[in-house]
Amino acid sequence: MREDVNEKCAVVGIFGHEEASRLAYFSLHALQHRGQEAAGISASDGEKLRIIKKRGLVMQVFDEDALSTLRGSSAIGHTRYSTAGDDSILDAQPVFARYDLGEMAIAHNGNLTNAEEVRGRLIKKGAIFQTFMDTENLIHLIAKSEEDKLTPRIIDAVQKIEGAFSLVFLSRTKMFAMRDRFGFRPLSLGRLSNGGYIVASETCAFDLVGAEFVRDIEPGELLIFKEGREPKSIKIFEPTPKHCIFEYVYFARPDSLVFGQSVYQTRKNMGKELSKIKPVDADLVVPVPDGGVPSAIGYAQESGIPYEMGIMRNHYIGRTFIEPTQEMRDLKVKMKLSPMTDIIRGKRVVVVDDSIVRGTTSRRIIRMLKEAGASEVHMRVSSPPTTDPCYYGVDTPDKDKLIAANMTQDEICEYIEADSLAFLDEDSLLRSVNTKEDNYCTACFTGNYIV
Ligand code: SF4
């Protein structure tokens, strides 16, 4: 259960459906786990772009009246996670602008690593920014490009940015979808039952609206959607895949296909690998819900130790307040997770979680299990120690707050008050996601940053 690492956003685009904004709305529901602070949809009826965005969950931002104003057969949408203090409605997306070629809206998942440099150059040339979002750089780059049409302007603009970006753009008559050359963040293409198209951060959105998965948008690829023709693909960058492996570890929903693979199956594989390399003599395997569930199932299947839901999660807490202090964070864990005392009492428990970031949540969970009568608690983590922050679209604490960057494994074990502690190693993690090639980013486990 992560309170300390958050995917920053999700994006969706619908093209060629008369209920485009409604489909975007349902898709954003499916993608809500990637951001709960704000949501927005921009739709086009071919003549005008309309936009609604607000702070809040998707269902709080939109109602029937709001959706009925978002007319047209194309729409893009966004859900946003924002860090404490960064809660302005101005920072909700899509970002909308009027410029010399008309109107455009952009939704972005990722993080531009040269955003400050680009912004500084634009400001020197007289650009005025309304937000702190790196996405706004793109609006200015497109508006200021000397190309005379939108497609070459988008190509011109994305060649000036670096880092992680899965983007959807909407103009009055076209929709565009694009991934950076490394493909850090996922973006998939699906076909709607009426022949229209959907692009989304995760395929769980396709399932909800009855769309069929077609393929991932390739790293470095720009897809252009225009009425009456098949999507046109342009390779902007030579693909150099470095997909975010943390999508498999924690972010993506288990029922999604991400980077071409089932998230659920890869998580189960992680649990199996963990059981092979870090076995322990115990009576029960218990997941930390929800993130640890598939890997705990894998651990139990491989080890033969019975699997039990020894911890219940209260799903109705949500992000109701910011937790500035450790005491508040501890209280929130208590509100969220409760032990199944009858199952735990007197048992040697293997507790499986997806990752350890600060260590405070793990300590609280282990204390809770021991208070519930567990005779031993062995912590097994289905990813390697998180030693470095992410610069590619994931909100992580600074390095000095990452427990694995500041303590040895034995010290962490003592800190979280476990009887034993073991992590998955990098090779086993890569084996779990079925790759022999070096096409994943693992920088938060290794410090090997790509850009
Ligand atoms: S640093 Fe970690 S979280 Fe960030 S993109 Fe790489 S693997 Fe994903």
Side-chain angles (χ1 to χ4, degrees):
M1 191 197 72
R2 294 272 66 79
E3 295 292 323
D4 31 24
V5 176
N6 290 284
E7 178 63 65
K8 280 186 178 164
C9 309
V11 297
V12 64
I14 305 286
F15 194 83
H17 195 290
E18 58 189 17
E19 299 280 355
S21 62
R22 275 188 181 73
L23 295 194
Y25 166 79
F26 287 120
S27 303
L28 291 179
H29 263 292
L31 299 168
Q32 185 80 81
H33 59 290
R34 297 178 78 90
Q36 297 93 42
E37 300 294 317
I41 295 175
S42 177
S44 174
D45 60 6
E47 294 187 353
K48 188 174 171 46
L49 258 63
R50 295 177 179 85
I51 184 165
I52 293 175
K53 55 181 181 176
K54 279 188 197 156
R55 282 180 56 70
L57 298 169
V58 177
M59 65 183 300
Q60 295 166 327
V61 172
F62 298 100
D63 57 18
E64 190 51 41
D65 288 349
L67 286 172
S68 62
T69 65
L70 294 170
R71 290 188 291 279
S73 61
S74 57
I76 63 171
H78 189 270
T79 59
R80 175 178 166 77
Y81 168 81
S82 69
T83 48
D86 175 19
D87 58 358
S88 165
I89 181 58
L90 285 174
D91 285 350
Q93 294 197 24
V95 180
F96 169 82
R98 287 196 182 89
Y99 69 124
D100 61 329
L101 298 184
E103 295 175 327
M104 67 176 150
I106 302 181
H108 172 205
N109 174 206
N111 198 33
L112 303 185
T113 50
N114 66 341
E116 280 188 30
E117 193 187 313
V118 171
R119 181 171 288 226
R121 277 204 302 270
L122 287 163
I123 288 173
K124 266 195 186 150
K125 287 185 185 162
I128 295 168
F129 284 82
Q130 290 188 34
T131 75
F132 295 108
M133 283 184 293
D134 44 10
T135 316
E136 205 183 347
N137 291 2
L138 268 171
I139 292 273
H140 283 282
L141 289 171
I142 292 169
K144 284 179 182 292
S145 169
E146 286 174 7
E147 301 287 348
D148 59 354
K149 293 205 166 129
L150 180 55
T151 302
R153 283 195 186 194
I154 289 175
I155 295 170
D156 189 27
V158 296
Q159 284 173 334
K160 293 188 169 78
I161 59 173
E162 287 169 13
F165 50 90
S166 283
L167 296 160
V168 284
F169 302 76
L170 189 65
S171 72
R172 288 172 186 163
T173 56
K174 290 183 189 163
M175 186 175 84
F176 303 79
M178 160 107 221
R179 276 173 93 196
D180 64 77
R181 75 186 70 196
F182 302 104
F184 284 111
R185 311 256 67 87
L187 191 62
S188 300
L189 171 68
R191 187 121 206 188
L192 298 166
S193 56
N194 75 335
Y197 289 94
I198 175 171
V199 292
S201 297
E202 288 183 39
T203 61
C204 58
F206 298 177
D207 301 334
L208 189 62
V209 300
E212 196 179 311
F213 173 72
V214 176
R215 65 176 176 88
D216 282 346
I217 292 164
E218 296 296 321
E221 180 184 17
L222 174 68
L223 260 189
I224 305 168
F225 299 83
K226 191 176 175 191
E227 202 180 323
R229 72 171 199 207
E230 291 293 302
K232 181 178 174 189
S233 167
I234 302 178
K235 192 201 271 186
I236 311 282
F237 303 109
E238 199 52 46
T240 319
K242 287 288 174 193
H243 307 309
C244 170
I245 208 158
F246 224 102
E247 291 282 352
Y248 290 131
V249 170
Y250 169 68
F251 299 133
R253 248 173 59 163
D255 55 339
S256 285
L257 280 179
V258 164
F259 313 133
Q261 295 193 73
S262 152
V263 173
Y264 179 75
Q265 195 53 52
T266 55
R267 282 189 195 152
K268 247 174 85 174
N269 294 346
M270 289 172 207
K272 289 185 178 189
E273 289 289 333
L274 189 57
S275 170
K276 283 183 207 160
I277 63 167
K278 304 292 178 187
V280 61
D281 203 12
D283 305 311
L284 296 177
V285 175
V286 167
V288 176
D290 293 321
V293 171
S295 44
I297 291 172
Y299 195 101
Q301 286 181 354
E302 184 65 30
S303 63
I305 301 170
Y307 171 91
E308 292 283 2
M309 290 296 292
I311 301 172
M312 290 311 293
R313 179 170 173 190
N314 181 348
H315 285 265
Y316 303 101
I317 303 294
R319 291 180 58 84
T320 47
F321 51 82
I322 296 166
E323 311 90 18
T325 64
Q326 196 50 55
E327 288 72 24
M328 294 300 270
R329 275 194 285 266
D330 283 349
L331 182 63
K332 194 165 181 189
V333 174
K334 261 189 181 166
M335 286 165 70
K336 240 180 179 175
L337 301 176
S338 325
M340 300 275 282
T341 308
D342 289 348
I343 289 172
I344 302 294
R345 193 182 299 119
K347 297 293 194 309
R348 298 168 300 162
V349 175
V350 186
V351 63
V352 181
D353 204 353
D354 51 72
S355 51
I356 294 185
V357 179
R358 294 173 196 260
T360 46
T361 304
S362 306
R363 182 169 66 172
R364 179 63 231 152
I365 289 166
I366 289 166
R367 276 188 189 166
M368 183 182 80
L369 292 171
K370 290 198 167 171
E371 282 163 16
S375 59
E376 293 173 19
V377 180
H378 302 274
M379 184 90 197
R380 292 293 177 271
V381 183
S382 59
S383 62
T386 305
T387 51
D388 293 86
C390 175
Y391 300 106
Y392 310 134
V394 173
D395 184 55
T396 39
D398 293 339
K399 191 161 174 130
D400 63 352
K401 304 272 183 342
L402 296 171
I403 193 167
N406 299 288
M407 285 189 196
T408 65
Q409 209 157 300
D410 286 346
E411 286 169 341
I412 299 172
C413 185
E414 193 176 328
Y415 174 79
I416 63 174
E417 300 170 9
D419 292 283
S420 76
L421 165 69
F423 293 86
L424 197 62
D425 59 38
E426 198 192 345
D427 284 349
S428 308
L429 178 63
L430 291 171
R431 245 193 330 275
S432 306
V433 302
N434 297 315
T435 184
K436 292 192 184 79
E437 293 159 47
D438 184 21
N439 53 6
Y440 285 93
C441 173
T442 56
C444 50
F445 306 126
T446 59
N448 296 331
Y449 293 104
I450 296 124
V451 282

